[in-house]
Each structure stands twice: as structure tokens, then as C-alpha cells.
mmCIF file of all heavy atoms in Angstrom:
data_model
loop_
_atom_site.group_PDB
_atom_site.id
_atom_site.type_symbol
_atom_site.label_atom_id
_atom_site.label_comp_id
_atom_site.label_asym_id
_atom_site.label_seq_id
_atom_site.Cartn_x
_atom_site.Cartn_y
_atom_site.Cartn_z
ATOM 1 N N ALA A 1 10.778 -12.499 1.387
ATOM 2 C CA ALA A 1 9.765 -11.806 2.199
ATOM 3 C C ALA A 1 8.385 -12.191 1.691
ATOM 4 O O ALA A 1 8.247 -12.796 0.620
ATOM 5 C CB ALA A 1 9.938 -10.296 2.096
ATOM 6 N N VAL A 2 7.376 -11.797 2.455
ATOM 7 C CA VAL A 2 6.009 -11.813 1.956
ATOM 8 C C VAL A 2 5.780 -10.460 1.279
ATOM 9 O O VAL A 2 6.048 -9.418 1.875
ATOM 10 C CB VAL A 2 4.988 -12.036 3.073
ATOM 11 C CG1 VAL A 2 3.572 -11.974 2.514
ATOM 12 C CG2 VAL A 2 5.233 -13.377 3.763
ATOM 13 N N TYR A 3 5.303 -10.506 0.043
ATOM 14 C CA TYR A 3 5.073 -9.293 -0.725
ATOM 15 C C TYR A 3 3.576 -8.979 -0.754
ATOM 16 O O TYR A 3 2.761 -9.851 -1.045
ATOM 17 C CB TYR A 3 5.603 -9.465 -2.144
ATOM 18 C CG TYR A 3 7.109 -9.340 -2.208
ATOM 19 C CD1 TYR A 3 7.933 -10.336 -1.688
ATOM 20 C CD2 TYR A 3 7.726 -8.221 -2.765
ATOM 21 C CE1 TYR A 3 9.320 -10.228 -1.720
ATOM 22 C CE2 TYR A 3 9.105 -8.102 -2.812
ATOM 23 C CZ TYR A 3 9.893 -9.106 -2.282
ATOM 24 O OH TYR A 3 11.261 -8.985 -2.320
ATOM 25 N N TYR A 4 3.266 -7.724 -0.465
ATOM 26 C CA TYR A 4 1.885 -7.265 -0.407
ATOM 27 C C TYR A 4 1.656 -6.147 -1.420
ATOM 28 O O TYR A 4 2.486 -5.241 -1.529
ATOM 29 C CB TYR A 4 1.555 -6.704 0.974
ATOM 30 C CG TYR A 4 1.687 -7.678 2.114
ATOM 31 C CD1 TYR A 4 2.892 -7.830 2.790
ATOM 32 C CD2 TYR A 4 0.595 -8.433 2.534
ATOM 33 C CE1 TYR A 4 3.011 -8.712 3.843
ATOM 34 C CE2 TYR A 4 0.709 -9.332 3.589
ATOM 35 C CZ TYR A 4 1.925 -9.461 4.234
ATOM 36 O OH TYR A 4 2.039 -10.340 5.275
ATOM 37 N N CYS A 5 0.537 -6.195 -2.113
ATOM 38 C CA CYS A 5 0.150 -5.027 -2.892
ATOM 39 C C CYS A 5 -0.824 -4.204 -2.058
ATOM 40 O O CYS A 5 -1.522 -4.731 -1.189
ATOM 41 C CB CYS A 5 -0.450 -5.406 -4.237
ATOM 42 S SG CYS A 5 -2.026 -6.256 -4.172
ATOM 43 N N ALA A 6 -0.845 -2.906 -2.331
ATOM 44 C CA ALA A 6 -1.657 -1.983 -1.551
ATOM 45 C C ALA A 6 -2.191 -0.885 -2.447
ATOM 46 O O ALA A 6 -1.567 -0.530 -3.454
ATOM 47 C CB ALA A 6 -0.826 -1.380 -0.423
ATOM 48 N N ALA A 7 -3.338 -0.329 -2.055
ATOM 49 C CA ALA A 7 -3.984 0.715 -2.835
ATOM 50 C C ALA A 7 -4.237 1.945 -1.965
ATOM 51 O O ALA A 7 -4.730 1.829 -0.843
ATOM 52 C CB ALA A 7 -5.295 0.201 -3.412
ATOM 53 N N ASP A 8 -3.918 3.097 -2.519
ATOM 54 C CA ASP A 8 -4.203 4.391 -1.890
ATOM 55 C C ASP A 8 -5.391 4.993 -2.632
ATOM 56 O O ASP A 8 -5.235 5.629 -3.671
ATOM 57 C CB ASP A 8 -2.970 5.289 -2.006
ATOM 58 C CG ASP A 8 -3.203 6.687 -1.449
ATOM 59 O OD1 ASP A 8 -4.289 6.948 -0.901
ATOM 60 O OD2 ASP A 8 -2.287 7.514 -1.576
ATOM 61 N N LEU A 9 -6.584 4.774 -2.085
ATOM 62 C CA LEU A 9 -7.802 5.132 -2.805
ATOM 63 C C LEU A 9 -8.067 6.624 -2.865
ATOM 64 O O LEU A 9 -8.819 7.074 -3.739
ATOM 65 C CB LEU A 9 -9.011 4.441 -2.165
ATOM 66 C CG LEU A 9 -9.509 3.183 -2.873
ATOM 67 C CD1 LEU A 9 -8.414 2.153 -2.971
ATOM 68 C CD2 LEU A 9 -10.736 2.628 -2.198
ATOM 69 N N TYR A 10 -7.524 7.372 -1.946
ATOM 70 C CA TYR A 10 -7.819 8.801 -1.878
ATOM 71 C C TYR A 10 -6.528 9.597 -1.848
ATOM 72 O O TYR A 10 -6.240 10.294 -0.876
ATOM 73 C CB TYR A 10 -8.679 9.092 -0.657
ATOM 74 C CG TYR A 10 -9.917 8.234 -0.600
ATOM 75 C CD1 TYR A 10 -9.988 7.135 0.256
ATOM 76 C CD2 TYR A 10 -11.005 8.491 -1.420
ATOM 77 C CE1 TYR A 10 -11.113 6.343 0.300
ATOM 78 C CE2 TYR A 10 -12.141 7.690 -1.385
ATOM 79 C CZ TYR A 10 -12.187 6.623 -0.526
ATOM 80 O OH TYR A 10 -13.298 5.827 -0.482
ATOM 81 N N PRO A 11 -5.749 9.504 -2.913
ATOM 82 C CA PRO A 11 -4.464 10.218 -2.909
ATOM 83 C C PRO A 11 -4.660 11.724 -2.882
ATOM 84 O O PRO A 11 -5.511 12.260 -3.591
ATOM 85 C CB PRO A 11 -3.811 9.753 -4.213
ATOM 86 C CG PRO A 11 -4.949 9.364 -5.090
ATOM 87 C CD PRO A 11 -5.982 8.808 -4.177
ATOM 88 N N SER A 12 -3.884 12.376 -2.047
ATOM 89 C CA SER A 12 -3.990 13.830 -1.949
ATOM 90 C C SER A 12 -2.992 14.531 -2.856
ATOM 91 O O SER A 12 -3.082 15.734 -3.065
ATOM 92 C CB SER A 12 -3.756 14.263 -0.499
ATOM 93 O OG SER A 12 -2.481 13.807 -0.056
ATOM 94 N N VAL A 13 -2.055 13.744 -3.402
ATOM 95 C CA VAL A 13 -1.068 14.301 -4.314
ATOM 96 C C VAL A 13 -0.951 13.384 -5.527
ATOM 97 O O VAL A 13 -1.366 12.228 -5.488
ATOM 98 C CB VAL A 13 0.311 14.447 -3.627
ATOM 99 C CG1 VAL A 13 0.237 15.490 -2.531
ATOM 100 C CG2 VAL A 13 0.772 13.110 -3.061
ATOM 101 N N THR A 14 -0.372 13.913 -6.599
ATOM 102 C CA THR A 14 -0.269 13.136 -7.829
ATOM 103 C C THR A 14 0.827 12.080 -7.747
ATOM 104 O O THR A 14 0.809 11.116 -8.503
ATOM 105 C CB THR A 14 0.000 14.051 -9.026
ATOM 106 O OG1 THR A 14 1.184 14.814 -8.768
ATOM 107 C CG2 THR A 14 -1.162 14.986 -9.257
ATOM 108 N N THR A 15 1.781 12.281 -6.822
ATOM 109 C CA THR A 15 2.883 11.338 -6.670
ATOM 110 C C THR A 15 2.562 10.336 -5.569
ATOM 111 O O THR A 15 2.215 10.740 -4.465
ATOM 112 C CB THR A 15 4.186 12.072 -6.319
ATOM 113 O OG1 THR A 15 4.486 13.010 -7.356
ATOM 114 C CG2 THR A 15 5.340 11.093 -6.175
ATOM 115 N N PRO A 16 2.687 9.029 -5.834
ATOM 116 C CA PRO A 16 2.426 8.050 -4.774
ATOM 117 C C PRO A 16 3.458 8.166 -3.661
ATOM 118 O O PRO A 16 4.574 8.653 -3.876
ATOM 119 C CB PRO A 16 2.547 6.708 -5.503
ATOM 120 C CG PRO A 16 3.373 6.985 -6.705
ATOM 121 C CD PRO A 16 3.068 8.391 -7.091
ATOM 122 N N THR A 17 3.071 7.712 -2.471
ATOM 123 C CA THR A 17 3.968 7.832 -1.331
ATOM 124 C C THR A 17 4.609 6.501 -0.982
ATOM 125 O O THR A 17 4.190 5.444 -1.447
ATOM 126 C CB THR A 17 3.216 8.363 -0.097
ATOM 127 O OG1 THR A 17 2.394 7.316 0.432
ATOM 128 C CG2 THR A 17 2.369 9.560 -0.450
ATOM 129 N N GLN A 18 5.611 6.567 -0.107
ATOM 130 C CA GLN A 18 6.292 5.374 0.351
ATOM 131 C C GLN A 18 5.812 4.922 1.729
ATOM 132 O O GLN A 18 6.281 3.898 2.229
ATOM 133 C CB GLN A 18 7.801 5.613 0.397
ATOM 134 C CG GLN A 18 8.395 5.996 -0.948
ATOM 135 C CD GLN A 18 9.902 6.118 -0.895
ATOM 136 O OE1 GLN A 18 10.556 5.564 -0.017
ATOM 137 N NE2 GLN A 18 10.472 6.860 -1.835
ATOM 138 N N SER A 19 4.907 5.670 2.317
ATOM 139 C CA SER A 19 4.442 5.349 3.658
ATOM 140 C C SER A 19 3.290 4.352 3.627
ATOM 141 O O SER A 19 2.278 4.589 2.964
ATOM 142 C CB SER A 19 3.970 6.608 4.373
ATOM 143 O OG SER A 19 3.356 6.273 5.595
ATOM 144 N N ARG A 20 3.432 3.287 4.378
ATOM 145 C CA ARG A 20 2.377 2.277 4.390
ATOM 146 C C ARG A 20 1.091 2.829 4.997
ATOM 147 O O ARG A 20 0.007 2.307 4.721
ATOM 148 C CB ARG A 20 2.832 1.054 5.180
ATOM 149 C CG ARG A 20 3.192 1.337 6.618
ATOM 150 C CD ARG A 20 3.669 0.085 7.307
ATOM 151 N NE ARG A 20 4.145 0.363 8.665
ATOM 152 C CZ ARG A 20 4.412 -0.564 9.558
ATOM 153 N NH1 ARG A 20 4.251 -1.839 9.247
ATOM 154 N NH2 ARG A 20 4.848 -0.249 10.744
ATOM 155 N N TYR A 21 1.192 3.884 5.765
ATOM 156 C CA TYR A 21 0.015 4.432 6.440
ATOM 157 C C TYR A 21 -0.887 5.193 5.463
ATOM 158 O O TYR A 21 -2.026 5.534 5.806
ATOM 159 C CB TYR A 21 0.444 5.309 7.603
ATOM 160 C CG TYR A 21 1.253 4.547 8.620
ATOM 161 C CD1 TYR A 21 2.628 4.740 8.733
ATOM 162 C CD2 TYR A 21 0.657 3.589 9.437
ATOM 163 C CE1 TYR A 21 3.384 4.015 9.646
ATOM 164 C CE2 TYR A 21 1.397 2.857 10.338
ATOM 165 C CZ TYR A 21 2.757 3.074 10.440
ATOM 166 O OH TYR A 21 3.504 2.349 11.329
ATOM 167 N N ASP A 22 -0.402 5.476 4.281
ATOM 168 C CA ASP A 22 -1.221 6.168 3.277
ATOM 169 C C ASP A 22 -2.043 5.200 2.437
ATOM 170 O O ASP A 22 -2.864 5.639 1.628
ATOM 171 C CB ASP A 22 -0.313 6.985 2.354
ATOM 172 C CG ASP A 22 0.258 8.208 3.065
ATOM 173 O OD1 ASP A 22 -0.419 8.738 3.967
ATOM 174 O OD2 ASP A 22 1.378 8.611 2.717
ATOM 175 N N TYR A 23 -1.823 3.918 2.604
ATOM 176 C CA TYR A 23 -2.499 2.915 1.779
ATOM 177 C C TYR A 23 -3.647 2.301 2.562
ATOM 178 O O TYR A 23 -3.474 1.849 3.695
ATOM 179 C CB TYR A 23 -1.503 1.870 1.286
ATOM 180 C CG TYR A 23 -0.538 2.493 0.297
ATOM 181 C CD1 TYR A 23 0.605 3.156 0.725
ATOM 182 C CD2 TYR A 23 -0.817 2.468 -1.066
ATOM 183 C CE1 TYR A 23 1.460 3.777 -0.187
ATOM 184 C CE2 TYR A 23 0.027 3.074 -1.977
ATOM 185 C CZ TYR A 23 1.163 3.735 -1.522
ATOM 186 O OH TYR A 23 2.000 4.352 -2.423
ATOM 187 N N ASP A 24 -4.820 2.290 1.915
ATOM 188 C CA ASP A 24 -6.054 1.935 2.607
ATOM 189 C C ASP A 24 -6.402 0.455 2.532
ATOM 190 O O ASP A 24 -7.044 -0.084 3.432
ATOM 191 C CB ASP A 24 -7.226 2.718 1.986
ATOM 192 C CG ASP A 24 -6.898 4.183 1.766
ATOM 193 O OD1 ASP A 24 -6.877 4.919 2.755
ATOM 194 O OD2 ASP A 24 -6.670 4.569 0.603
ATOM 195 N N TYR A 25 -6.015 -0.173 1.427
ATOM 196 C CA TYR A 25 -6.400 -1.560 1.209
ATOM 197 C C TYR A 25 -5.173 -2.388 0.872
ATOM 198 O O TYR A 25 -4.261 -1.916 0.173
ATOM 199 C CB TYR A 25 -7.441 -1.658 0.084
ATOM 200 C CG TYR A 25 -8.768 -1.073 0.490
ATOM 201 C CD1 TYR A 25 -9.041 0.272 0.273
ATOM 202 C CD2 TYR A 25 -9.732 -1.866 1.111
ATOM 203 C CE1 TYR A 25 -10.241 0.814 0.673
ATOM 204 C CE2 TYR A 25 -10.939 -1.320 1.513
ATOM 205 C CZ TYR A 25 -11.185 0.022 1.287
ATOM 206 O OH TYR A 25 -12.377 0.560 1.682
ATOM 207 N N TRP A 26 -5.210 -3.623 1.351
ATOM 208 C CA TRP A 26 -4.065 -4.510 1.210
ATOM 209 C C TRP A 26 -4.512 -5.897 0.740
ATOM 210 O O TRP A 26 -5.606 -6.347 1.079
ATOM 211 C CB TRP A 26 -3.352 -4.665 2.555
ATOM 212 C CG TRP A 26 -2.745 -3.395 3.042
ATOM 213 C CD1 TRP A 26 -3.382 -2.365 3.663
ATOM 214 C CD2 TRP A 26 -1.379 -3.007 2.934
ATOM 215 N NE1 TRP A 26 -2.498 -1.355 3.944
ATOM 216 C CE2 TRP A 26 -1.252 -1.732 3.511
ATOM 217 C CE3 TRP A 26 -0.242 -3.613 2.417
ATOM 218 C CZ2 TRP A 26 -0.038 -1.046 3.574
ATOM 219 C CZ3 TRP A 26 0.968 -2.946 2.483
ATOM 220 C CH2 TRP A 26 1.064 -1.679 3.058
ATOM 221 N N GLY A 27 -3.646 -6.545 -0.018
ATOM 222 C CA GLY A 27 -3.878 -7.931 -0.362
ATOM 223 C C GLY A 27 -3.425 -8.835 0.763
ATOM 224 O O GLY A 27 -2.940 -8.376 1.799
ATOM 225 N N GLN A 28 -3.556 -10.138 0.531
ATOM 226 C CA GLN A 28 -3.237 -11.107 1.570
ATOM 227 C C GLN A 28 -1.757 -11.476 1.594
ATOM 228 O O GLN A 28 -1.287 -12.084 2.557
ATOM 229 C CB GLN A 28 -4.068 -12.381 1.372
ATOM 230 C CG GLN A 28 -3.529 -13.384 0.357
ATOM 231 C CD GLN A 28 -3.665 -12.919 -1.089
ATOM 232 O OE1 GLN A 28 -4.323 -11.914 -1.371
ATOM 233 N NE2 GLN A 28 -3.064 -13.640 -2.006
ATOM 234 N N GLY A 29 -1.036 -11.112 0.565
ATOM 235 C CA GLY A 29 0.404 -11.366 0.496
ATOM 236 C C GLY A 29 0.747 -12.628 -0.267
ATOM 237 O O GLY A 29 -0.051 -13.573 -0.331
ATOM 238 N N THR A 30 1.947 -12.629 -0.849
ATOM 239 C CA THR A 30 2.460 -13.803 -1.540
ATOM 240 C C THR A 30 3.927 -13.976 -1.161
ATOM 241 O O THR A 30 4.690 -13.006 -1.129
ATOM 242 C CB THR A 30 2.276 -13.674 -3.070
ATOM 243 O OG1 THR A 30 2.670 -14.896 -3.709
ATOM 244 C CG2 THR A 30 3.076 -12.523 -3.662
ATOM 245 N N GLN A 31 4.311 -15.205 -0.856
ATOM 246 C CA GLN A 31 5.657 -15.479 -0.356
ATOM 247 C C GLN A 31 6.657 -15.560 -1.503
ATOM 248 O O GLN A 31 6.427 -16.268 -2.493
ATOM 249 C CB GLN A 31 5.675 -16.801 0.418
ATOM 250 C CG GLN A 31 7.046 -17.228 0.905
ATOM 251 C CD GLN A 31 7.560 -16.355 2.028
ATOM 252 O OE1 GLN A 31 6.837 -16.062 2.990
ATOM 253 N NE2 GLN A 31 8.821 -15.929 1.933
ATOM 254 N N VAL A 32 7.769 -14.858 -1.334
ATOM 255 C CA VAL A 32 8.896 -14.956 -2.258
ATOM 256 C C VAL A 32 10.105 -15.433 -1.460
ATOM 257 O O VAL A 32 10.471 -14.814 -0.456
ATOM 258 C CB VAL A 32 9.207 -13.603 -2.920
ATOM 259 C CG1 VAL A 32 10.511 -13.684 -3.710
ATOM 260 C CG2 VAL A 32 8.060 -13.188 -3.829
#
């Protein structure tokens, strides 16, 4: 797949989420 890193800049909870819609910024991706 293409792997992307993402950042949730304004987390509302201490535990990170699994939903891509909670992540505000994304990298360009790297192919694996």
C-alpha cells in the first residue's frame, strides 16, 4: 500500500483515534 502519516493537531481526548477524519494534516505518502 501507500503509507501515510497524519497529525491530529487538536485532539479532544488523550487517546488517539482510528478515524481518518480526525486527522488534520497528512504527508504525501510512501509506497511499500
Side-chain angles (χ1 to χ4, degrees):
V2 177
Y3 283 71
Y4 299 89
C5 67
D8 177 4
L9 260 58
Y10 307 103
S12 57
V13 293
T14 56
T15 301
T17 74
Q18 301 185 22
S19 172
R20 59 182 175 169
Y21 300 107
D22 288 330
Y23 292 85
D24 315 285
Y25 291 90
W26 295 80
Q28 82 288 350
T30 186
Q31 176 71 47
V32 171

